[in-house]
Amino acid sequence: MRKVGFEDNIGIKIGGRTINNLLYADDTTILAEEKEDKEKLLRKLKEESEKAGLSLNLKKTKIMTTATLNEFILDGTEIEITSYHTFLGSIITRDGYDNKEISRRLSIGRMAMTKLEKIMKDRDVKKATKIKIAETIIFPTETYGSESWIVRKRERKKIGTFELWTWRRILRVPWIEKRTNFSVLEDVKPKRSLEASILRLKLRYFGHVMRAKRSLERDIMLGKVEGSNWPTIG
């Protein structure tokens, strides 16, 4: 794929740099601003793949755009146009918000908690052990990919609700018991809130990207190519 040789003048422009192809293992993402450019890049990828004995499955290919696009046909095959898509384990949406992904991750976290219900209800297992299980198994399952999340007020509330739900299950607090969230947190004494943990992951990833020299991630995050005089975006 690295030898396909896409044209440098086609793609998304960020700080004077053209980005038209993102690779990860056997997955590739083609980026373009115009429909015609997208067709050109896809056809080029298809042709070069066939030269290497590979086949580009257009039926599994999906198109996502912020523009109005009713139909996309390449070589007689109609390609599905979608408003969101699961890529590398995370849901990517056309509007750039992560409400679908956050809700999905919270559901996965609840499922993980439910699977460990027997341990969490076992009175022979110490509370400290149960808390450690939540911090090392349940919460990381929920926060996967959170470094890139856009967390709004509504999502923050959902995250906080999930965290308190987890602690209440560990403490065996029934829903009919009128116990404040503050008293629950006082009993558990977590190192930090789940929302704070997500912020910590974001800052850690930002520092990792900023320390890298001449990286694509750094250029995208800053909106400019390192060493150029181009203004940042936003």
Side-chain angles (χ1 to χ4, degrees):
M1 292 299 100
R2 295 183 184 278
K3 298 180 180 180
V4 170
F6 291 130
E7 298 179 34
D8 292 337
N9 62 332
I10 298 178
I12 306 298
K13 307 293 191 302
I14 296 181
R17 179 173 181 168
T18 301
I19 303 172
N20 53 32
N21 187 17
L22 301 177
L23 298 173
Y24 185 85
D26 60 344
D27 290 318
T28 182
T29 302
I30 305 299
L31 305 174
E33 294 182 344
E34 302 293 337
K35 179 182 178 181
E36 293 75 16
D37 292 339
K38 173 71 74 175
E39 291 176 352
K40 190 173 183 179
L41 292 176
L42 277 174
R43 187 166 284 109
K44 177 73 171 178
L45 177 62
K46 184 174 181 292
E47 292 173 353
E48 294 299 328
S49 297
E50 290 172 352
K51 291 179 182 179
L54 302 174
S55 176
L56 177 62
N57 193 333
L58 294 178
K59 291 184 178 180
K60 289 185 178 180
T61 303
K62 298 180 185 295
I63 299 289
M64 188 166 67
T65 176
T66 56
T68 301
L69 185 63
N70 299 320
E71 187 181 64
F72 194 100
I73 297 176
L74 184 71
D75 295 342
T77 302
E78 183 174 358
I79 299 178
E80 179 185 351
I81 300 173
T82 182
S83 58
Y84 67 93
H85 179 59
T86 302
F87 182 67
L88 301 182
S90 297
I91 295 178
I92 311 297
T93 61
R94 61 175 292 176
D95 59 11
Y97 289 113
D98 297 292
N99 56 310
K100 285 183 178 293
E101 173 62 10
I102 293 174
S103 295
R104 187 175 76 101
R105 279 288 145 192
L106 290 173
S107 296
I108 293 174
R110 287 179 181 272
M111 289 174 59
M113 183 66 179
T114 302
K115 289 179 180 179
L116 294 172
E117 191 79 4
K118 186 176 181 179
I119 295 175
M120 295 305 184
K121 286 184 176 181
D122 193 332
R123 297 184 183 275
D124 292 330
V125 179
K126 294 182 179 180
K127 180 177 67 175
T129 301
K130 295 177 182 178
I131 293 173
K132 194 67 176 179
I133 290 174
E135 292 175 338
T136 56
I137 298 178
I138 306 299
F139 291 161
T141 300
E142 191 273 330
T143 59
Y144 173 83
S146 61
E147 294 89 343
S148 61
W149 286 356
I150 298 176
V151 183
R152 298 175 294 181
K153 184 177 180 180
R154 181 173 58 183
E155 283 75 45
R156 289 202 302 269
K157 185 177 180 180
K158 289 182 179 180
I159 292 169
T161 300
F162 169 75
E163 180 184 6
L164 266 299
W165 175 83
T166 302
W167 296 141
R168 286 175 180 271
R169 294 291 285 264
I170 288 176
L171 298 178
R172 298 175 63 85
V173 178
W175 66 271
I176 57 175
E177 182 177 333
K178 295 182 179 180
R179 186 171 177 182
T180 65
N181 292 337
F182 180 78
S183 68
V184 170
L185 292 174
E186 280 290 298
D187 197 348
V188 176
K189 291 183 174 57
K191 293 180 180 179
R192 62 185 66 86
S193 68
L194 185 55
E195 183 181 351
S197 297
I198 292 174
L199 178 59
R200 188 167 181 259
L201 290 171
K202 284 174 168 284
L203 293 174
R204 180 182 294 176
Y205 179 69
F206 179 78
H208 172 72
V209 171
M210 292 303 295
R211 286 190 294 272
K213 300 297 182 182
R214 301 183 183 280
S215 72
L216 176 62
E217 294 86 352
R218 182 185 173 106
D219 293 345
I220 293 175
M221 187 172 288
L222 295 179
K224 66 178 181 180
V225 177
E226 185 178 3
S228 72
N229 295 321
W230 286 75
T232 58
I233 296 175

